[in-house]
């Protein structure tokens, strides 16, 4: 394969950067390759010559970027890509993953014609088996999502399964899902084909070249240090697979990339007496924890065992991945499952048991995007054994991200910024991937939670709430109460109520919601992200006016619901901001926005010592006091009138609650119900909570959890960031046009110039901040406005 690719590339394009990949086998070629010097500068350097790195290079070159260098420490496609099982499946639980896999399928299908390199692409289709009714429901949900985005699939009977694959034992099945356009392919050949096409478009590729670390200056990538010299660059892409974690930590400014490798097993057999046809469907038996595909007339079968074996926790390095030690005892449960599903394989000769590393992430989703710590540092890694399926689509989206500043789809669920440094502990990663790998085939019902890596971030009230029956969920490492089990309920039964139907905790949450509406409830919401933005002059207001869509030049004490919008008018964050004084603002955002929000603010704020952005999430315990009797509880505790006349809606002031002073009390609840948010310095948290619960007894107070909060928000049609709204959703599309103030006094000198392809520029003194893109283009037309050219604002310019 290497020789064939070399001959193709040699005929089509002579490039000093396209090194001879067979150099290890040819001493003359090796000497020639060794003598070639790396370029001293490039626009982009990509680390990793597997399917991810070559896909990014391919798509960047297709989008017009030519000054690209791809570096591989071993041979091209000789890492995890070489050991990939070669199954291309579009049946995924996340819509964005389905779209990536669908694009990959279409790309690989035409890649051979584009490059002349045979990739082994064969459209076989896939059959996903269901042994239980719950599994069948899960498949029906996936089938519905596939049909929505135009991928053919159908639910079929066991009889139909037997017709499609005559070797299968179907007696224990209740149904299955058939995806006819799924395929199998040679993953290494796909990577080489992508590399060939990228080379033809100008990408320089060097193998046997190791990246030592990335050079960073003032938070920006400036170059890379390799074992063959330095390369200055503006962008670096970490596609190092299982070594991405170590490479990220080796930088001058470390980049956290939470992933960990586990051993992954599959066996290869000799051809059957009547060899399987190349078009034989791939089988996924998730209840049996195995997958099965045709391989040269025989069988390739592997799976995800319940007791995985994490490896390389200490950061062991290999230039190229080798087949690890066979472990038949460990593989025996999967082998037994295979023989139950295909009894005719009992006498078939097994050629080899392959044991190769595969990387997994803390939440079973791949990692892509720009580092929040270093501008120009992009990551594409952690494929959770789906690298072949995601490779084409993920490479496309990341290339779009780099070229245009954002991908064409909402990829928040895969964004590196969904993680913080807290998820990068080696111990945490080792324990979490031991749970993640079995979950690949476990039944995923609504409201399931990870069990490892828990109690990492807790409120000061955790033990107190736990003793009162709190059941916990985890968000961004933070423990949050779901609901509270009454003393008369069976705790064990509730913990095991995993179903697609009405759960056992439904009535409990119903009673909590009823209490919020009729009396008063307390919800610990300490996990919410909390920032303080202050300045010595007016700069804090000027910057926030530029970055947020609503008008923040409000009287001290007022609270504004607003959003941070991107150039397309989509939400980068949905938040509430309280003006503490003329030069200080308190910002409240969703829990999982902590890293993303911080990175967005730092990226767009001017570098000025007079402006201070501080993450104060850990400083405050937040109690949400919801219900019509909340005003009575707080009035009694503060000896201050709390009626709407004295404490209007969306107002904030510091006051005493019990013995504690300096409590930030806000007249809002994030639910639309009456009540107050209390932001309490952590040293006072337990005292304030105890006082609230003590005084509240006469008003029917009780604890409530996030399930009740979610129900209340849904009733009031309060949108959830990351679910109902995202970076592609504009305010006019979700009924939030009132939170965009086009007429506000703005501190920016930017004008939105349609003729300049939507870039913000100065123009004839007209001023329109780029954060108002939401009301331009199509949204302006829908709003009845023809143009933004006549909309002006005034005010001092940003530095």
């Amino acid at each position: 394969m290497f020789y064939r690719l070399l001959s193709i590339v040699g005929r089509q394009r002579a490039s000093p950067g396209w090194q001879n990949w067979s150099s290890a086998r040819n001493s003359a070629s090796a000497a020639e390759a060794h003598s070639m010097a790396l370029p001293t500068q490039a626009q982009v350097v990509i680390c990793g010559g597997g399917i991810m790195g070559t896909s990014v290079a391919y798509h960047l070159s297709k989008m017009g970027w030519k000054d690209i260098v791809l570096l591989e420490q071993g041979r091209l496609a000789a890492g995890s890509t070489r050991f990939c099982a070669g199954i291309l499946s579009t049946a995924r639980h996340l819509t964005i993953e389905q779209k990536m896999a669908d694009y990959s399928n279409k790309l690989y299908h035409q890649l051979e014609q584009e490059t002349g390199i045979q990739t082994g692409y064969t459209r076989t289709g896939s059959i996903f088996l269901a042994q239980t009714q719950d599994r069948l429901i899960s498949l029906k949900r996936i089938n519905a999502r596939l049909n929505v985005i135009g991928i053919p699939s159908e639910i079929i009977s066991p009889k139909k399964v037997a017709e499609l694959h005559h070797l299968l034992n179907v007696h224990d099945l209740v149904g299955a899902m058939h995806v006819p356009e799924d395929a199998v392919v040679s993953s290494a050949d796909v990577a080489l084909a992508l590399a060939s096409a990228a080379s033809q478009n100008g990408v320089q590729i060097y193998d046997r070249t190791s990246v030592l670390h990335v050079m960073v200056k003032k938070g920006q990538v400036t170059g890379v240090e390799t074992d063959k010299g330095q390369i200055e660059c503006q962008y670096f892409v970490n596609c190092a697979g299982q070594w991405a974690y170590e490479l990220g930590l080796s930088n001058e400014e470390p980049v956290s990339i939470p992933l960990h490798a586990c051993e992954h097993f599959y066996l290869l057999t000799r051809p059957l007496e009547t060899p399987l046809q190349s078009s034989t469907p791939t089988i996924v038996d998730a209840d049996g924890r195995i997958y099965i595909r045709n391989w040269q007339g025989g069988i390739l079968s592997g799976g995800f065992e319940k007791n995985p074996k994490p490896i390389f926790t200490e950061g062991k390095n290999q230039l190229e991945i080798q087949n690890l030690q066979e472990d038949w005892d460990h593989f025996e449960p999967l082998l037994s499952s295979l023989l139950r599903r295909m009894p005719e394989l009992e006498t078939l000769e097994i050629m080899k048991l392959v044991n190769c590393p595969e990387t997994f992430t803390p939440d079973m989703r791949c990692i892509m995007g720009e580092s929040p710590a270093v501008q120009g540092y992009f990551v594409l890694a952690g494929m959770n054994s789906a690298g072949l399926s995601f490779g084409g689509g993920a490479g496309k989206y990341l290339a779009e991200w780099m070229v245009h500043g954002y991908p064409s789809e909402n990829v928040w669920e895969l964004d590196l910024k969904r993680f913080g440094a807290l998820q990068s502990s080696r111990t945490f990663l080792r324990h979490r991937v031991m749970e993640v790998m079995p979950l690949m085939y476990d039944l995923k019902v609504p409201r399931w939670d990870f069990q490892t890596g828990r109690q990492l971030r807790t409120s000061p009230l955790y033990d107190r709430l736990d003793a009162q029956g709190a059941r916990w969920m985890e968000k961004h490492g933070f423990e949050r109460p779901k609901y509270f089990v009454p003393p008369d309920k069976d705790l064990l039964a509730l913990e095991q109520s995993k179903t697609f139907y009405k759960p056992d905790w439904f009535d409990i949450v119903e009673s909590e919601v009823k209490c919020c509406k009729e009396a008063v409830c307390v919800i610990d919401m300490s996990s919410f992200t909390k920032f303080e933005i202050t300045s010595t002059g007016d700069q804090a207001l000027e910057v926030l006016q530029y970055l947020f869509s609503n008008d923040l030049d409000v009287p001290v004490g007022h609270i504004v619901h607003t959003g941070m919008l991107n150039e397309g008018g989509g939400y980068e964050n949905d938040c509430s901001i309280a003006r503490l004084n003329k030069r200080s603002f308190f910002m409240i955002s969703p829990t999982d926005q902590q890293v993303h929000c911080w990175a967005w603010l730092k990226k767009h704020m001017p570098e000025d010592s007079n402006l201070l952005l501080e993450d104060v999430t850990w400083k405050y315990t937040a109690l949400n006091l919801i219900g019509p009797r909340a005003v009575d509880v707080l009035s009694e505790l503060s000896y201050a009138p709390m009626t709407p006349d004295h404490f209007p809606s969306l107002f904030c002031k510091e006051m005493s609650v019990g013995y504690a002073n300096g409590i930030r009390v806000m007249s809002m609840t994030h639910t639309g119900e009456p009540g107050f948010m209390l932001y309490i310095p952590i040293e006072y948290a337990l005292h304030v909570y105890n006082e609230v619960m003590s005084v509240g007894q006469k008003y029917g107070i009780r604890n409530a959890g996030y399930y009740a909060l979610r129900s209340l928000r849904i009733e009031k049609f309060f949108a959830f960031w990351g679910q109902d709204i995202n970076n592609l959703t504009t305010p006019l599309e979700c009924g939030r046009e009132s939170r965009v103030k086009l007429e506000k006094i703005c501190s920016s000198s930017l004008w939105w110039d349609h003729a300049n392809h939507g870039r913000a520029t100065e123009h004839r003194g007209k001023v329109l901040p780029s954060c108002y893109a939401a009301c331009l283009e199509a949204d302006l037309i829908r709003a009845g406005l023809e143009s933004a050219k006549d909309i002006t604002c005034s005010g001092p310019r940003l530095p």
Side-chain angles (χ1 to χ4, degrees):
M1 182 64 227
F2 293 117
Y3 288 104
R4 184 169 78 252
L5 179 55
L6 281 172
S7 65
I8 293 171
V9 175
R11 288 196 306 269
Q12 296 178 339
R13 178 178 183 273
S15 168
W18 188 269
Q19 292 192 14
N20 192 327
W21 295 322
S22 58
S23 56
R25 305 176 185 177
N26 187 307
S27 58
S29 298
E32 180 183 357
H34 183 72
S35 66
M36 291 181 182
L38 291 177
T40 58
Q41 61 182 17
Q43 183 181 12
V44 183
V45 173
I46 301 171
C47 176
I51 201 163
M52 294 301 152
T54 55
S55 178
V56 173
Y58 171 87
H59 286 95
L60 283 175
S61 65
K62 286 284 187 181
M63 294 178 188
W65 284 18
K66 304 298 183 184
D67 191 12
I68 302 168
V69 174
L70 188 150
L71 306 177
E72 164 57 44
Q73 65 177 352
R75 292 172 299 159
L76 209 64
S80 296
T81 298
R82 177 164 62 100
F83 286 97
C84 179
I87 300 172
L88 203 170
S89 171
T90 55
R92 304 289 167 182
H93 286 278
L94 297 180
T95 299
I96 184 61
E97 292 180 343
Q98 291 177 340
K99 290 181 178 180
M100 289 197 304
D102 185 44
Y103 175 84
S104 298
N105 196 344
K106 294 172 181 174
L107 173 66
Y108 303 161
H109 184 56
Q110 57 86 33
L111 201 56
E112 184 172 329
Q113 181 179 357
E114 178 182 347
T115 65
I117 298 175
Q118 295 181 3
T119 60
Y121 182 96
T122 305
R123 183 157 287 173
T124 62
S126 297
I127 302 174
F128 296 80
L129 310 181
Q131 297 182 29
T132 66
Q133 287 297 330
D134 274 346
R135 178 68 66 180
L136 188 59
I137 291 174
S138 179
L139 292 179
K140 288 179 178 178
R141 292 159 69 98
I142 296 174
N143 178 71
R145 283 193 289 268
L146 289 173
N147 292 335
V148 164
I149 64 174
I151 299 176
S153 66
E154 62 176 339
I155 300 299
I156 60 176
S157 66
K159 181 180 178 180
K160 181 65 174 179
V161 172
E163 293 174 3
L164 292 171
H165 200 304
H166 67 277
L167 293 179
L168 291 183
N169 176 8
V170 300
H171 78 279
D172 59 343
L173 302 182
V174 297
M177 179 177 71
H178 183 216
V179 187
E181 294 187 359
D182 281 356
V184 296
V185 71
S186 169
S187 54
D189 290 343
V190 167
L192 296 180
L194 290 169
S196 173
S199 177
Q200 294 173 47
N201 288 328
V203 176
Q204 300 180 66
I205 300 179
Y206 294 82
D207 71 346
R208 304 191 183 283
T209 305
S210 297
V211 174
L212 303 179
H213 67 274
V214 178
M215 297 179 291
V216 178
K217 185 176 181 180
K218 294 183 178 180
Q220 172 72 47
V221 169
T222 60
V224 295
E225 179 78 35
T226 77
D227 59 352
K228 295 181 181 177
Q230 292 185 358
I231 305 176
E232 295 181 1
C233 63
Q234 299 169 260
Y235 299 92
F236 176 76
V237 187
N238 185 338
C239 297
Q242 63 177 311
W243 311 127
Y245 176 90
E246 283 76 16
L247 181 58
L249 295 182
S250 70
N251 305 330
E252 296 176 1
E253 294 187 24
V255 173
S256 174
I257 307 171
L259 51 79
H260 198 290
C262 285
E263 295 183 17
H264 180 58
F265 298 86
Y266 61 82
L267 60 79
L268 303 170
T269 75
R270 297 201 180 278
L272 280 69
E273 183 175 345
T274 302
L276 289 178
Q277 297 296 314
S278 60
S279 59
T280 302
T282 295
I283 303 299
V284 177
D285 184 2
D287 293 313
R289 315 196 70 81
I290 58 170
Y291 58 82
I292 310 164
R293 59 154 289 193
N294 165 68
W295 185 76
Q296 299 180 3
I299 290 294
L300 182 157
S301 179
F304 299 96
E305 63 274 23
K306 291 185 177 181
N307 55 334
K309 299 169 67 176
I311 51 176
F312 306 147
T313 303
E314 299 80 16
K316 178 182 177 182
N317 196 10
Q318 295 175 309
L319 287 181
E320 295 178 5
I321 295 175
Q322 307 297 327
N323 192 20
L324 303 175
Q325 184 177 0
E326 292 183 350
D327 190 341
W328 283 102
D329 289 338
H330 189 78
F331 189 74
E332 191 278 330
L334 300 183
L335 178 60
S336 298
S337 184
L338 170 63
L339 294 177
R340 284 193 300 271
R341 186 57 56 204
M342 301 179 68
E344 293 186 30
L345 300 183
E346 185 74 40
T347 58
L348 196 62
E349 181 180 354
I350 295 175
M351 288 179 55
K352 181 190 293 186
L353 179 63
V354 177
N355 179 6
C356 59
E358 183 59 66
T359 55
F360 297 87
T361 62
D363 60 359
M364 294 188 292
R365 302 170 187 171
C366 71
I367 297 174
M368 65 187 306
E370 188 175 16
S371 163
V374 181
Q375 291 189 38
Y377 192 115
F378 286 82
V379 178
L380 185 57
M383 292 297 124
N384 300 283
S385 198
L388 178 66
S389 295
F390 297 158
K396 173 179 179 285
Y397 292 146
L398 192 76
E400 291 174 343
W401 207 327
M402 297 174 67
V403 174
H404 305 303
Y406 45 84
S408 57
E409 294 284 349
N410 172 36
V411 297
W412 165 247
E413 294 172 301
L414 314 178
D415 194 333
L416 170 63
K417 291 184 283 293
R418 71 188 188 271
F419 295 119
L422 58 93
Q423 283 101 348
S424 286
S425 156
R426 287 186 185 270
T427 302
F428 168 81
L429 289 172
R430 182 180 178 88
H431 291 176
R432 175 56 66 86
V433 297
M434 292 175 69
E435 179 182 10
V436 162
M437 189 171 173
L439 281 172
M440 300 302 294
Y441 277 175
D442 279 357
L443 190 65
K444 300 175 185 65
V445 300
R447 309 293 188 206
W448 62 273
D449 299 294
F450 288 108
Q451 301 303 308
T452 55
R454 299 297 298 269
Q455 299 185 34
L456 188 59
R457 305 174 74 188
T458 61
S459 158
L461 305 178
Y462 178 86
D463 290 337
R464 185 87 163 82
L465 299 179
D466 193 63
Q468 297 180 72
R471 296 302 93 196
W472 301 94
M473 60 190 290
E474 176 260 335
K475 189 81 164 183
H476 200 60
F478 224 117
E479 296 293 331
R480 314 199 306 183
K482 296 186 290 188
Y483 52 83
F484 286 77
V485 181
D488 59 335
K489 290 287 184 179
D490 185 344
L491 178 62
L492 184 60
L494 284 168
E495 286 297 289
Q496 295 177 344
S497 60
K498 298 179 179 180
T499 177
F500 289 105
Y501 299 98
K502 180 180 177 180
D504 292 340
W505 45 258
F506 187 90
D507 293 337
I508 295 176
V509 175
E510 180 186 23
S511 64
E512 292 180 359
V513 169
K514 185 177 181 181
C515 185
C516 288
K517 289 178 172 292
E518 297 178 355
V520 58
C521 279
V522 176
I523 303 178
D524 184 352
M525 296 177 60
S526 303
S527 68
F528 269 34
T529 297
K530 300 174 277 290
F531 293 156
E532 286 185 1
I533 304 102
T534 59
S535 62
T536 54
D538 295 331
Q539 197 171 32
L541 175 62
E542 294 171 3
V543 171
L544 294 183
Q545 286 286 71
Y546 171 66
L547 288 178
F548 291 87
S549 62
N550 211 340
D551 188 0
L552 296 176
D553 192 7
V554 294
V556 172
H558 283 251
I559 303 169
V560 177
H561 293 312
T562 183
M564 294 192 302
L565 307 180
N566 53 38
E567 287 185 353
Y571 279 93
E572 293 294 332
N573 183 31
D574 180 42
C575 58
S576 302
I577 299 181
R579 191 169 193 178
L580 303 179
N581 56 56
K582 288 186 176 295
R583 299 180 177 88
S584 181
F585 296 83
F586 186 65
M587 175 178 167
I588 307 155
S589 300
T591 301
D592 55 0
Q593 276 284 72
Q594 186 171 14
V595 176
H596 177 71
C597 185
W598 176 272
W600 183 268
L601 289 170
K602 294 294 288 186
K603 182 177 181 179
H604 293 90
M605 282 183 170
E607 296 181 7
D608 193 319
S609 58
N610 291 330
L611 189 65
L612 175 64
L613 171 65
E614 183 182 5
D615 187 340
V616 295
T617 302
W618 63 275
K619 287 186 176 181
Y620 294 95
T621 296
L623 291 183
N624 196 349
L625 203 59
I626 305 175
R629 306 310 299 269
V631 62
D632 299 311
V633 174
L634 269 189
S635 296
E636 191 167 331
L637 280 172
S638 62
Y639 290 97
M642 303 297 293
T643 61
D645 293 337
H646 298 88
F647 205 127
S649 177
L650 294 180
F651 195 76
C652 169
K653 63 179 178 181
E654 290 193 356
M655 54 192 300
S656 299
V657 178
Y659 294 149
N661 201 6
I663 310 301
R664 288 178 185 169
V665 179
M666 301 184 184
S667 52
M668 66 175 188
T669 63
H670 301 284
T671 64
E673 299 293 333
F676 302 90
M677 285 292 305
L678 279 62
Y679 288 91
I680 309 161
I682 57 172
E683 63 267 30
Y684 300 144
L686 192 58
H687 166 74
V688 172
Y689 173 80
N690 288 337
E691 290 293 296
V692 166
M693 294 301 289
S694 176
V695 171
Q697 293 302 315
K698 68 180 73 172
Y699 303 108
I701 198 168
R702 64 177 292 176
N703 292 299
Y706 271 78
Y707 285 6
L709 179 78
R710 187 177 184 86
S711 179
L712 292 167
R713 287 175 63 100
I714 291 172
E715 287 183 1
K716 291 294 194 297
F717 205 69
F718 278 24
F720 290 83
W721 192 93
Q723 177 176 312
D724 304 310
I725 57 177
N726 54 52
N727 62 357
L728 299 178
T729 310
T730 68
L732 285 180
E733 291 173 327
C734 61
R736 294 189 173 188
E737 58 272 20
S738 62
R739 299 184 184 183
V740 177
K741 297 297 189 296
L742 288 170
E743 70 280 6
K744 72 176 181 178
I745 301 299
C746 177
S747 55
S748 171
S749 63
L750 300 177
W751 179 77
W752 194 263
D753 185 358
H754 293 265
N756 194 30
H757 306 291
R759 298 184 184 278
T761 60
E762 294 188 32
H763 185 75
R764 300 192 305 274
K766 302 285 185 179
V767 184
L768 187 66
S770 61
C771 59
Y772 294 154
C775 290
L776 297 170
E777 305 290 357
D779 282 350
L780 263 179
I781 296 172
R782 286 198 297 271
L785 301 173
E786 294 182 358
S787 170
K789 292 183 178 180
D790 296 328
I791 300 175
T792 63
C793 61
S794 59
R797 295 184 177 185
L798 281 175

